[in-house]
Amino acid sequence: MSPRQAATIVASAIANRIVLEVGARLPRRLEIAGRDFIIENGVGCDMLSSGMVQLVDSTPKYEVLGLTEDGYRYVLQKMDNELLVDAGILLPQ
């Protein structure tokens, strides 16, 4: 697991308006300022192999990743929780 992987999860959650929790479904595709983006294969594979996420939908180019308990805990350890709450992707504890 790495801070890069955590930041990628946060970017998808913010762009797709998904609250971070164990089992959260994070699309590989995201839209920012009207432009389409996709999580690149390298970081996507790293997130899968490190156990941060699991593949819950394997439709090519529209994959959906499920946030694991280990991934959730890592994101909370590495990212500013106040920022995540302010972004609307983490419920206040």
Side-chain angles (χ1 to χ4, degrees), residues 16-37:
N16 290 295
R17 297 182 174 104
I18 295 174
V19 173
L20 292 175
E21 59 188 355
V22 175
R25 295 174 145 240
L26 302 160
R28 184 174 174 218
R29 295 181 87 62
L30 47 145
E31 183 180 315
I32 301 171
R35 297 186 65 194
D36 289 329
F37 293 88

Side-chain angles (χ1 to χ4, degrees), residues 75-86 90 93:
V75 169
L76 294 186
Q77 287 175 346
K78 294 299 178 184
M79 304 302 289
D80 179 342
N81 286 219
E82 189 173 312
L83 177 97
L84 301 178
V85 170
D86 289 347
L90 182 65
Q93 307 275 337

